[in-house]
Amino acid sequence: TNVGSTANVASGNAVIVNGVGTNVTSNYIVSYEKGTLTIRPVEVDVTVNGSMTYGEDKNTINLSWTTNVTSELEQILIRELNITYKNGDTEITDFKNLVVGTYQIIIERTTDNFVVNFNAENSKLTVNKRNVTITVGNYIGEYDGADHTASWELTSGSWAEGDTPTITTTTINEVGNKISTVTSFVVKDGETDVSGCYNYTVVTGNMSVSSKNITITTDSNQKVYDGTALTDDGWTISSGTLVSGHTATV
């Protein structure tokens, strides 16, 4: 039953009995005056907070209510409220493109059953960062003078619709070992940088470049003894090869 007033009409004719139970109604002229039944609105303090993940729809918003009425009345109240969300003075309609941050929640009554004291200052919608996990690949190879960059893949989570990642990983080009990881993380929605809307976790890999093996064979030579040293500066690479563009001096 909603707030308002209605006449309290007797549901039937009065019956009057004496002390021994005898009906004596005929000895009375009974008239009826209507009373008034009034249901007053209940006053309620309301704070509501919502949370969602960047890139998701409005229907993923999780609302948390704080009131000073019973849970039964709170559920009735919630059904009788309209909720809107604002970014400054502009009503939000595109929730998927809300960047990480806080936004205003507005409520409006649709009935007069409640007098709502709304705590607007502390009622906010919070858009949280989107979680993703990036697994960086391994590399093992022999030295070849070239840059070798670790591969990567998204192994947990997803990119928001319309977002494009540009991820840079570790590069190795000399003999040695490195941990392969993410060195640069950029995500854009069109021309807008939305990197700050993501929490990214990195599963690192390993990179190793081993030495390149070559064999140098010096020339053989001979002469008849003449009291001077026999030398020969000739040589060849008899096994393996130099990296293109490299030269050797022996």
Side-chain angles (χ1 to χ4, degrees), residues 49-211:
N49 285 284
S51 63
M52 63 177 291
T53 299
Y54 165 73
E56 297 298 318
D57 290 320
K58 179 182 179 180
N59 58 16
T60 66
I61 295 174
N62 181 37
L63 292 174
S64 174
W65 296 82
T66 302
T67 67
N68 60 341
V69 293
T70 65
S71 58
E72 291 80 4
L73 278 178
E74 182 177 287
Q75 291 305 309
I76 296 172
L77 168 68
I78 292 170
R79 291 195 296 269
E80 295 185 0
L81 293 175
N82 280 334
I83 302 177
T84 56
Y85 304 87
K86 286 190 174 182
N87 184 6
D89 294 328
T90 304
E91 183 175 345
I92 299 168
T93 56
D94 183 4
F95 288 81
K96 281 189 173 183
N97 287 320
L98 284 181
V99 297
V100 168
T102 57
Y103 301 87
Q104 187 177 3
I105 295 179
I106 303 296
I107 63 173
E108 296 176 348
R109 290 181 301 133
T110 59
T111 71
D112 294 323
N113 292 330
F114 296 89
V115 175
V116 177
N117 301 318
F118 180 50
N119 187 348
E121 182 178 355
N122 292 319
S123 294
K124 304 294 181 184
L125 169 65
T126 301
V127 179
N128 298 308
K129 292 185 178 184
R130 195 176 184 92
N131 295 319
V132 295
T133 300
I134 297 167
T135 298
V136 184
N138 301 313
Y139 174 77
I140 299 175
E142 184 182 81
Y143 173 74
D144 60 5
D147 289 339
H148 296 278
T149 302
S151 62
W152 66 269
E153 62 176 328
L154 188 69
T155 52
S156 177
S158 61
W159 309 113
E161 183 179 349
D163 286 0
T164 302
T166 301
I167 295 174
T168 304
T169 57
T170 305
T171 294
I172 191 168
N173 55 18
E174 293 184 343
V175 171
N177 300 299
K178 282 186 176 181
I179 299 296
S180 54
T181 188
V182 171
T183 57
S184 175
F185 178 91
V186 177
V187 183
K188 287 190 174 183
D189 177 11
E191 296 300 318
T192 303
D193 190 329
V194 292
S195 307
C197 293
Y198 288 85
N199 275 324
Y200 69 94
T201 301
V202 178
V203 178
T204 60
N206 295 287
M207 306 184 80
S208 178
V209 172
S210 60
S211 299

Side-chain angles (χ1 to χ4, degrees), residues 189-245:
D189 177 11
E191 296 300 318
T192 303
D193 190 329
V194 292
S195 307
C197 293
Y198 288 85
N199 275 324
Y200 69 94
T201 301
V202 178
V203 178
T204 60
N206 295 287
M207 306 184 80
S208 178
V209 172
S210 60
S211 299
K212 186 176 181 65
N213 294 316
I214 61 172
T215 301
I216 295 175
T217 301
T218 56
D219 290 349
S220 299
N221 208 338
Q222 62 179 330
K223 71 173 183 176
V224 176
Y225 174 75
D226 61 2
T228 62
L230 174 62
T231 61
D232 189 326
D233 294 332
W235 59 273
T236 58
I237 296 177
S238 56
S239 175
T241 58
L242 296 178
V243 171
S244 177

Side-chain angles (χ1 to χ4, degrees), residues 29-52:
I29 297 175
V30 179
S31 59
Y32 297 92
E33 292 184 358
K34 298 176 182 178
T36 301
L37 300 176
T38 301
I39 297 178
R40 301 189 308 275
V42 61
E43 186 169 352
V44 56
D45 299 329
V46 177
T47 303
V48 56
N49 285 284
S51 63
M52 63 177 291

